[in-house]
Amino acid sequence: MLTYFVTETNWLNFISSLVSQYRVFGLIDYEGELKWRRLNEANSHSITITKYRSIQPIKKFFFPVKEEVTAEPSAQKTILIGCKNCDLNHLKTTDSMFVGSPVSDPYYLKRRENTIIISSDCDDFRKTCFCTSMDEDPFPSKGFDINLSPTRGGFIVEIATKTAEQLISVRKHYFQDPQPILLQEREKMRKRITELVKNNNSELNWTDPQRIVSSTYNSKAWDDDIASTCVECDACRFVCGTCYCFILSETKDIWSRIRTWDSCQSAGYARVAGGGNPKNTRAKRLKNFYACKLVYRKENFGFYACTGCGRCIEVCQGKIDIRQSLAKLKKLEKNV
Amino acid sequence: MFKSPYKSIKAELLEVIEETSNIKTFVLKPEEKFSFVTGQFVELSIPGVGEAPFTPSSSPFKTDKIDVTIMKAGYVTEALHNLKGGETLGIRGPYGRGYPVEELNKKDVLIVGGGVGMAPLRSFLLTLLEQKEKFGRIILCYGSRTPEDVVYKYLFPEWKKVKGLEIMQSVDKCPVGEWDETVGLVTCLLDKVKVDLAKTVSVVCGPPIMMKFSTTKLLDVGFKPQNIYLSMEANMSCGLGKCGHCQLGHHFICKDGPVFTYEQIKNIPEPFA
Ligand SMILES: Cc1cc2nc3c(=O)[nH]c(=O)nc-3n(C[C@H](O)[C@H](O)[C@H](O)COP(=O)(O)OP(=O)(O)OC[C@H]3O[C@@H](n4cnc5c(N)ncnc54)[C@H](O)[C@@H]3O)c2cc1C
Ligand code: SF4
Ligand code: SF4
Ligand code: FES
């Protein structure tokens, strides 16, 4: 991988040089909440690169809340700056769902192909972050075009793809070779943030969530406790970067069709004609969410569809915390 | 030219055949060649109204027209039932994996149907009859609620004449004298039929409750889980293994099914819920 050093000022100048040619999105800090915003000459110098993830999942850049799925796909060249490792890990699931067997989703694919992903290490965390419990790191090692690691006076820049090389090569004057000492410092920084996230979850004692959810699937605790405060708002599913569910519907323009995000937490999700509903209770639905992320997709793809980003914890009106749910279920494992 | 996998092609509704008070067969002529494997399904739409999944009930060897037999069950199916013929519908597919006809070579086949579940089974049966020499006995056990609810009433007399095809029928209830076959659930027929378990596979389609009891009965009789084929149903939207709606454990019914062996789904909690 090509590695450079860039000063903070040069990096921001580099971004400014992109906004006229690409749709560029970056993170703007609203009192600690990072939100994705379209960048322009005016705001591109006030973005946050590192810190932690945004509450908004990056799936919306590839799989918008609502879109027509009968027209020819089109996508503008887009750059996302500030994706975190949990975001990149989300894309593993959406890629596996939307690309390939039996056919690729042309809309997702087109946007994916036309998007350059610039990620960064985390140098801070949110109380809800638990990527380390899911055996993930708070810094990317793959899945990006460019990754930035904060260091003294700027960033270490890793270039992972040809697209990224081209982007940099015409703007080479911003970048310089990294001093080896900076690379050593990066390793220290990475260890530090990993420890911080681990400490944030030090009271959690579970491992192997796949086994925990499978072995407690028939427990009454799902009804009596785990799902009992769910108000069926669907917020947890909409902020989750691996949730790919959608529903197709007809439009007034009679030969076209739109799709909209859907949520397995809503009562009608699995309802069939005649009133039958295999997911007719909140407990069955929450159980489905956990099993989908921690059991079924793991069986299909070999990795969890939960990256420990903690978004679902942050938005839950019922104060349901997947980390605590797993801890509770683990206690029940022997008693099932 | 770009063609979205979510876009339907046009199909002319040639004819609507009334089967029972709430089941009709729709004869469709797609604007392009549309071939399918028996047991695969299609997404049929009334443009601007709605879309739903159905399994063709005609033989896949008949390629110019496709029959779909539909029970009135809700919004889309009711709108379909209001059509008279001559309208243009939307169709996309075919989707999923159909019946493993090749694997049934030299086997005896026990077909168990309930209600409108006879629709996919008619397509399957016609496929077997087309190449009857490849199979051993073909036995059809078909249960309906009442004699009026039997679909394809006009075909049964013909089928009963086919050599090598054995047909047993039941109705759940019926006034005395109006039915000369078995009265009782379709599972009663499974008590009566004698099969050689070593070379018989069963293929079951019907409402979830019927599939559940039939599976239990077949297991009791001694069928191995891998020799029981089931057509699973679920809420579906995309038909392409993307939208998530049809998930059954780690399976996506629309692309891994809709036909599964009981072996494949037996460890999933409440597969017939
Ligand atoms: C693979 C497969 C093959 C099939 N083959 C056949 C066949 O050959 N013949 C046949 O008759 N049937 C068949 N069916 C069943 C058929 O698809 C359903 O009967 C049909 O979808 C009913 O649609 P509807 O709009 O009429 O019913 P409705 O009950 O109005 O709608 C059912 C769908 O609409 C949605 N819906 C409706 N109301 C609500 C609500 N209040 N909240 C949330 N969602 C709602 C649900 O998502 C549900 O999927 C098959 C089903 C599958 C999965
Ligand atoms: S389930 Fe929750 S913690 Fe896991 S990836 Fe989705 S939003 Fe993040
Ligand atoms: S966010 Fe919480 S309350 Fe809302 S649907 Fe999810 S679990 Fe239920
Ligand atoms: S119907 Fe969409 S995934 Fe099966």
Side-chain angles (χ1 to χ4, degrees):
Chain A
M1 226 179 289
L2 279 173
T3 308
Y4 296 106
F5 170 78
V6 67
T7 64
E8 188 151 2
T9 318
N10 270 346
W11 177 255
L12 295 176
N13 289 335
F14 169 70
I15 296 173
S16 292
S17 77
L18 300 173
V19 295
S20 58
Q21 284 174 46
Y22 295 86
R23 282 163 84 222
V24 184
F25 293 86
L27 298 170
I28 306 283
D29 192 336
Y30 295 88
E31 294 170 1
E33 279 293 341
L34 304 186
K35 296 203 174 137
W36 287 104
R37 290 290 179 265
R38 174 86 186 259
L39 302 186
N40 50 44
E41 293 285 346
N43 68 2
S44 68
H45 278 76
S46 43
I47 62 167
T48 297
I49 310 279
T50 55
K51 275 191 125 172
Y52 34 69
R53 52 130 185 98
S54 161
I55 189 73
Q56 300 163 319
I58 64 169
K59 68 175 176 188
K60 64 174 188 149
F61 293 109
F62 310 102
F63 168 43
V65 177
K66 187 173 179 179
E67 69 180 315
E68 193 196 323
V69 288
T70 31
E72 180 148 3
S74 68
Q76 284 172 273
K77 289 268 178 217
T78 302
I79 301 180
L80 306 179
I81 304 171
C83 303
K84 300 301 179 290
N85 197 34
C86 56
D87 295 323
L88 303 184
N89 285 329
H90 285 155
L91 293 181
K92 290 201 293 184
T93 297
T94 50
D95 283 353
S96 303
M97 286 302 301
F98 285 121
V99 185
S101 149
V103 289
S104 291
D105 184 278
Y107 306 94
Y108 178 89
L109 194 59
K110 184 88 176 185
R111 292 202 191 85
R112 196 77 171 83
E113 286 168 348
N114 282 282
T115 304
I116 297 176
I117 294 187
I118 304 183
S119 57
S120 90
D121 293 13
C122 294
D123 56 7
D124 197 355
F125 64 93
R126 294 183 71 90
K127 284 255 167 302
T128 50
C129 291
F130 66 107
C131 56
T132 52
S133 311
M134 298 307 297
D135 295 327
E136 303 286 359
D137 297 317
F139 52 86
S141 46
K142 53 175 180 294
F144 53 82
D145 292 283
I146 298 176
N147 186 61
L148 301 175
S149 309
T151 183
R152 271 182 293 154
F155 302 100
I156 292 171
V157 186
E158 277 184 310
I159 313 290
T161 59
K162 278 266 170 304
T163 322
E165 260 176 57
Q166 280 160 9
L167 194 71
I168 300 269
S169 69
V170 290
R171 299 169 182 83
K172 210 46 172 288
H173 52 285
Y174 294 123
F175 300 89
Q176 57 199 79
D177 285 335
Q179 293 172 320
I181 179 85
L182 292 181
L183 292 173
Q184 285 164 24
E185 280 176 23
R186 176 175 72 171
E187 291 322 299
K188 272 192 211 143
M189 292 273 290
R190 287 182 160 182
K191 280 214 177 75
R192 187 185 136 267
I193 185 66
T194 307
E195 281 317 303
L196 287 174
V197 180
K198 279 189 177 155
N199 289 341
N200 181 46
N201 296 292
S202 57
E203 79 289 0
L204 295 183
N205 59 352
W206 48 259
T207 52
D208 201 349
Q210 181 178 21
R211 191 204 61 225
I212 297 175
V213 173
S214 321
S215 68
T216 57
Y217 204 85
N218 296 319
S219 166
K220 269 176 65 259
W222 291 96
D223 296 270
D224 300 345
D225 180 9
I226 313 289
S228 65
T229 54
C230 173
V231 297
E232 304 175 55
C233 67
D234 293 337
C236 57
R237 302 305 79 227
F238 294 147
V239 291
C240 180
T242 64
C243 279
Y244 46 74
C245 285
F246 63 82
I247 186 156
L248 294 171
S249 37
E250 305 289 305
T251 63
K252 287 223 169 66
D253 168 18
I254 59 173
W255 289 101
S256 70
R257 194 161 275 141
I258 54 164
R259 74 157 149 225
T260 324
W261 286 1
D262 202 0
S263 158
C264 64
Q265 299 308 291
S266 51
Y269 177 83
R271 189 189 152 273
V272 293
N277 188 349
K279 301 185 176 83
N280 59 353
T281 64
R282 282 177 304 178
K284 284 184 193 168
R285 294 193 284 274
L286 196 73
K287 200 148 71 166
N288 180 69
F289 146 28
Y290 284 19
C292 173
K293 305 298 172 199
L294 303 169
V295 183
Y296 306 145
R297 297 296 82 74
K298 175 95 164 138
E299 287 176 30
N300 293 147
F301 308 136
F303 50 82
Y304 288 116
C306 173
T307 69
C309 74
R311 286 179 173 90
C312 57
I313 305 170
E314 216 161 294
V315 298
C316 183
Q317 301 300 304
K319 299 199 162 40
I320 300 175
D321 181 331
I322 186 168
R323 297 171 297 186
Q324 302 307 333
S325 302
L326 287 167
K328 288 178 191 169
L329 291 167
K330 182 180 152 70
K331 275 198 201 140
L332 294 170
E333 264 194 299
K334 289 163 230 86
N335 315 336
V336 175
Chain B
M1 215 193 66
F2 172 78
K3 172 86 172 61
S4 165
Y6 303 106
K7 195 168 172 82
S8 310
I9 61 164
K10 292 176 182 161
E12 197 192 334
L13 178 59
L14 297 178
E15 194 190 347
V16 181
I17 303 165
E18 200 154 324
E19 303 284 356
T20 74
S21 60
N22 64 351
I23 299 175
K24 290 180 180 177
T25 295
F26 297 78
V27 184
L28 301 163
K29 188 172 173 57
E31 63 177 345
E32 292 165 20
K33 190 171 154 37
F34 195 100
S35 27
F36 64 93
V37 170
T38 182
Q40 281 190 306
F41 69 97
V42 301
E43 285 282 349
L44 189 66
S45 53
I46 306 181
V49 176
E51 191 179 42
F54 304 100
T55 320
S57 56
S58 51
S59 163
F61 291 97
K62 188 179 89 177
T63 51
D64 56 331
K65 289 183 246 167
I66 293 178
D67 297 353
V68 182
T69 303
I70 297 174
M71 184 170 85
K72 184 154 79 177
Y75 181 70
V76 176
T77 50
E78 177 148 1
L80 282 163
H81 271 245
N82 290 335
L83 303 178
K84 299 279 171 278
E87 295 87 349
T88 303
L89 302 182
I91 189 169
R92 57 188 180 92
Y95 296 128
R97 301 204 292 199
Y99 293 112
V101 176
E102 289 307 314
E103 287 169 36
L104 305 182
N105 218 337
K106 302 214 165 55
K107 299 255 168 78
D108 291 352
V109 187
L110 171 62
I111 303 170
V112 188
V116 76
M118 193 57 221
L121 293 175
R122 180 177 80 163
S123 172
F124 176 63
L125 178 64
L126 293 172
T127 308
L128 298 188
L129 294 181
E130 191 77 30
Q131 39 193 336
K132 217 168 69 216
E133 64 292 345
K134 285 194 186 165
F135 312 99
R137 292 167 68 195
I138 302 171
I139 311 151
L140 170 64
C141 295
Y142 176 51
S144 317
R145 259 178 339 132
T146 69
E148 197 282 321
D149 292 308
V150 175
V151 289
Y152 317 128
K153 294 182 190 73
Y154 46 95
L155 288 178
F156 277 89
E158 246 175 72
W159 284 343
K160 283 181 176 163
K161 285 183 221 147
V162 175
K163 257 190 92 189
L165 172 61
E166 303 159 51
I167 298 182
M168 300 166 78
Q169 278 181 272
S170 70
V171 293
D172 299 354
K173 53 178 188 285
C174 169
V176 184
E178 283 175 28
W179 183 252
D180 46 22
E181 294 204 44
T182 306
V183 177
L185 300 177
V186 70
T187 42
C188 306
L189 300 178
L190 299 178
D191 280 326
K192 291 187 183 171
V193 60
K194 294 279 166 281
V195 296
D196 177 355
L197 286 170
K199 59 174 199 165
T200 308
V201 295
S202 60
V203 173
V204 187
C205 187
I209 186 84
M210 170 270 175
M211 302 247 281
K212 182 174 169 172
F213 287 122
S214 300
T215 303
T216 310
K217 174 62 79 183
L218 290 166
L219 291 168
D220 280 351
V221 171
F223 276 87
K224 294 208 177 88
Q226 65 268 31
N227 288 335
I228 303 173
Y229 289 90
L230 303 159
S231 293
M232 301 304 288
E233 249 195 55
N235 179 310
M236 285 188 181
S237 186
C238 71
L240 290 158
K242 310 246 177 276
C243 76
H245 279 268
C246 67
Q247 295 181 67
L248 180 68
H250 70 281
H251 297 294
F252 291 79
I253 293 181
C254 69
K255 77 171 175 155
D256 304 329
V259 179
F260 291 93
T261 63
Y262 183 62
E263 179 67 27
Q264 287 174 291
I265 58 162
K266 67 178 187 195
N267 294 325
I268 292 167
E270 304 180 73
F272 301 110

